[in-house]
Amino acid sequence: MGKPTGFLDYNRETAKVLPPKVRIANFNEFRTPLSKEKQRLQGARCMACGVPFCQSGMMLGGMASGCPLHNLVPETNDLVYTGNWKQAYLRLSKTHSFPEFTSRVCPALCEAACTCNLNGEPVATKENERAIIETAYKEGWVQPQKPNVRTGKTIAVIGSGPSGLAAAQQLNRRGHSVTVYERSDRPGGLLRYGIPNMKLEKSVIDRRIRLMEEEGVKFVLNTNVGKDIKAEELLKQYDRVVLACGASNPRDIKVPGREAKGIYFAVDFLGMVTKTLLDSNFDKVPYELAKGKNVLVIGGGDTGNDCVGTSVRLGAKSVTQLEMMPKPPVERAANNPWPQWPRVLKTDYGQEEAIAVFGHDPRIYQTTVTEFIADKNGNVCKAKIVDLKAQKDEKTGRMMMVPVEGSEKVIPADLVLIAAGFLGSQKYVTDAFHVAVNGKTNVDTKPDDYATSVPRVFTAGDMHRGQSLVVWAIREGREAAKAVDESLMGYTNL
Ligand SMILES: Cc1cc2nc3c(=O)[nH]c(=O)nc-3n(C[C@H](O)[C@H](O)[C@H](O)COP(=O)(O)OP(=O)(O)OC[C@H]3O[C@@H](n4cnc5c(N)ncnc54)[C@H](O)[C@@H]3O)c2cc1C
Ligand code: SF4
């Protein structure tokens, strides 16, 4: 259980981060992990609670609390403390497919739910996880796990994001022959072309893909299923199909002037930047996208923050980030108690960088855009924005954000990045497979099930759950693999 008095003896300590003005010089990761000895003391802080909320992964107050993968957190924390790194890796691998991804990008639902977080600082479980997996890679313990026997069953996984990769890894290790189809030029989904390189270096994805290939998973890239290859063809060729295409349908801002040049969806912009970096082996930085421009990011969430950090690196003249909702409180509100996910103000890496460069927080709350204004060449140059206030809708009784009359103003905006969330799956794929979708256009299944309305077709990840997190995508991929395996073999041992 770590050290019985560890949480009293040692303070929480996490990786050293480079100062914002230093790290914006490139797109590299900027966290230097603790030494192994210091990381051990972080393991010592775990109390092996009788009810360890850290690994519960349950829904509380409409938000997830604790690890959705049910990682064996108290066990691995103890193994970190006692320096049993190999055993820690083996225990972590029981529940997790890709700790190297989540230990970099997860918001750490485990830490938010940690008992130490009730009136102190949580155990540094996320960084313990990173130390475990990176030690395992360094020591050569992460080896391809090839199945001893092949079942003769074939599976096509559509989409190579974390859900598709997790499903493919599990099913291949079980002995089925798995082919992953990906429309993009590189595998990884939003791990590759959504999350920026400074948060998750793409060599980390390549390292895992190489292992999966050695294990026997085949990757077919640049192939858009439903366009380049027919659904019927895949259903003829494979025993099962797993749809893991993500919630790739971005929410638009439909206001006058939207057709102006220089307005991008966040994912398209972030993907363009990463692709240019990768194609040039990091020799070419696409400064022309944002250098010297007034950047307007619409959306106050994590994707918006990634746009802020990327624009700062590209040399933007100014960065403004609009958020419709009110500024969250600094401390938990009374109706948001532990171990619920804390709905509190978070200043993320991109915002920290904008503050360092421009001297102020880029976020403006309770504000939206009502019009984009273009110059004579059709390029966006300004945006009309308006303040919002909360008001009860007479018909539904729900609180709505409505414009405050007379609060309109015009701000400069030469590059606009829309980071307003996603609206579910893309119609051409669901139509191609004739699978039923729900009101949010996510692929429909029974609760806690992964079989779609079409026999032999399964689904996982954001395409099923709606826009979510990497950790949920991995869980969905692993659960869908179980469902597929059971449908093929009559039972599952996954
Ligand atoms: C900018 C951004 C930053 C994010 N940052 C974080 C973060 O820091 N932490 C976190 O936990 N979550 C983050 N998320 C959310 C997280 O990335 C997603 O929840 C997760 O990637 C979903 O995984 P998935 O496998 O379901 O889908 P995706 O990752 O979206 O992958 C789907 C894949 O399917 C492919 N595809 C789609 N249709 C077809 C087709 N017809 N044929 C072939 N291939 C197809 C797509 O090209 C894509 O590669 C972020 C999301 C965005 C947009
Ligand atoms: S809740 Fe925190 S202290 Fe308790 S077992 Fe989990 S990580 Fe350890």
Side-chain angles (χ1 to χ4, degrees):
M1 66 156 291
K3 185 180 175 198
T5 57
F7 70 104
L8 299 170
D9 297 344
Y10 312 116
N11 290 331
R12 176 182 162 98
E13 198 180 343
T14 52
K16 296 278 163 288
V17 294
L18 287 175
K21 281 194 174 164
V22 175
R23 68 196 192 216
I24 60 169
N26 57 48
F27 285 79
N28 300 341
E29 285 183 9
F30 49 80
R31 302 174 72 80
T32 309
L34 298 180
S35 67
K36 289 274 266 306
E37 198 41 46
K38 282 194 168 179
Q39 200 71 52
R40 273 194 52 228
L41 300 185
Q42 294 306 305
R45 295 187 71 237
C46 178
M47 302 182 287
C49 300
V51 182
F53 285 101
C54 54
Q55 61 181 40
S56 62
M58 57 189 179
M59 299 301 286
L60 285 178
M63 308 274 283
S65 175
C67 180
L69 289 166
H70 307 305
N71 281 347
L72 306 166
V73 175
E75 274 189 49
T76 49
N77 280 340
D78 177 60
L79 291 163
V80 166
Y81 169 53
T82 53
N84 282 306
W85 293 97
K86 185 161 187 185
Q87 192 60 21
Y89 163 63
L90 295 174
R91 296 308 282 164
L92 185 55
S93 307
K94 286 242 169 265
T95 54
H96 205 334
S97 308
F98 313 119
E100 65 271 40
F101 302 154
T102 49
S103 64
R104 287 173 166 82
V105 307
C106 193
L109 312 184
C110 53
E111 293 187 10
C114 174
T115 313
C116 288
N117 202 22
L118 186 50
N119 49 19
E121 292 217 275
V123 175
T125 298
K126 179 173 161 180
E127 289 192 7
N128 287 347
E129 182 176 305
R130 179 162 171 168
I132 295 167
I133 186 66
E134 289 308 326
T135 303
Y137 271 110
K138 196 160 150 235
E139 297 293 334
W141 301 329
V142 191
Q143 290 295 323
Q145 293 180 36
K146 293 182 195 165
N148 293 328
V149 182
R150 286 282 172 193
T151 60
K153 310 284 185 195
T154 55
I155 297 158
V157 174
I158 321 300
S160 67
S163 63
L165 292 179
Q169 186 192 63
Q170 289 289 91
L171 289 165
N172 179 70
R173 287 183 179 175
R174 175 73 165 104
H176 308 309
S177 298
V178 182
T179 305
V180 178
Y181 287 86
E182 170 55 57
R183 65 184 172 193
S184 190
D185 62 342
R186 292 179 173 91
L190 290 172
L191 295 170
R192 173 80 62 180
Y193 284 133
I195 299 172
N197 199 67
M198 53 272 193
K199 211 167 166 191
L200 172 65
E201 287 190 356
K202 305 311 161 194
S203 54
V204 175
I205 308 172
D206 296 335
R207 180 175 67 179
R208 178 57 76 173
I209 299 293
R210 274 196 302 276
L211 274 166
M212 288 181 66
E213 283 175 333
E214 284 174 49
E215 287 173 1
V217 178
K218 290 196 184 70
F219 288 89
V220 179
L221 303 175
N222 297 306
T223 304
N224 196 340
V225 172
K227 289 192 177 161
D228 301 332
I229 182 165
K230 284 205 167 93
E232 290 75 27
E233 222 170 291
L234 290 182
L235 284 166
K236 217 182 275 171
Q237 209 178 328
Y238 294 93
D239 294 311
R240 298 290 181 272
V241 171
V242 180
L243 297 176
C245 303
S248 334
N249 206 8
R251 179 180 283 122
D252 207 349
I253 303 285
K254 289 181 181 150
V255 297
R258 171 64 181 87
E259 67 290 348
K261 287 181 268 180
I263 303 176
Y264 299 91
F265 287 116
V267 170
D268 295 341
F269 168 77
L270 294 168
M272 259 190 293
V273 174
T274 302
K275 184 163 165 46
T276 307
L277 294 171
L278 293 178
D279 284 354
S280 67
N281 200 16
F282 291 83
D283 278 348
K284 185 172 174 345
V285 177
Y287 289 113
E288 67 283 359
L289 287 174
K291 199 173 176 83
K293 294 186 181 174
N294 297 297
V295 179
L296 177 62
V297 179
I298 305 174
D302 293 345
T303 302
N305 171 67
D306 289 333
C307 290
V308 172
T310 300
S311 303
V312 169
R313 277 168 181 70
L314 295 178
K317 182 175 170 192
S318 72
V319 183
T320 305
Q321 187 181 11
L322 301 187
E323 167 57 50
M324 286 179 76
M325 300 309 289
K327 188 174 181 175
V330 176
E331 305 251 322
R332 280 177 184 277
N335 64 357
N336 175 218
W338 174 90
Q340 284 185 9
W341 176 255
R343 291 190 293 271
V344 294
L345 182 69
K346 178 175 105 178
T347 299
D348 211 335
Y349 76 96
Q351 287 128 9
E352 277 176 5
E353 291 160 1
I355 292 168
V357 172
F358 304 115
H360 60 87
D361 196 317
R363 289 169 289 187
I364 304 179
Y365 293 89
Q366 291 187 243
T367 305
T368 194
V369 169
T370 56
E371 188 180 343
F372 297 114
I373 300 163
D375 63 17
K376 59 181 186 324
N377 298 318
N379 296 313
V380 68
C381 62
K382 289 178 190 152
K384 214 178 259 181
I385 60 173
V386 67
D387 295 347
L388 299 171
K389 65 176 180 197
Q391 192 173 292
K392 207 180 221 167
D393 184 84
E394 293 298 323
K395 280 194 202 132
T396 62
R398 287 176 55 191
M399 291 306 279
M400 310 275 290
M401 298 305 288
V402 298
V404 176
E405 231 175 275
S407 66
E408 295 84 1
K409 52 181 168 279
V410 173
I411 60 167
D414 316 308
L415 170 65
V416 175
L417 304 173
I418 300 175
F422 295 85
L423 290 174
S425 62
Q426 286 182 303
K427 195 165 158 24
Y428 77 91
V429 196
T430 51
D431 280 357
F433 284 90
H434 306 292
V435 290
V437 296
N438 64 21
K440 293 181 174 165
T441 70
N442 302 324
V443 177
D444 206 18
T445 64
K446 288 189 194 127
D448 298 323
D449 200 357
Y450 298 83
T452 69
S453 57
V454 174
R456 301 195 289 122
V457 179
F458 291 74
T459 187
D462 281 7
M463 189 179 197
H464 175 225
R465 190 182 174 78
Q467 175 193 4
S468 187
L469 294 172
V470 171
V471 67
W472 277 111
I474 296 172
R475 162 159 164 179
E476 290 247 333
R478 291 173 67 94
E479 292 294 314
K482 269 193 214 169
V484 170
D485 186 40
E486 196 169 356
S487 81
L488 284 170
M489 312 299 282
Y491 74 103
T492 183
N493 57 9
L494 283 175

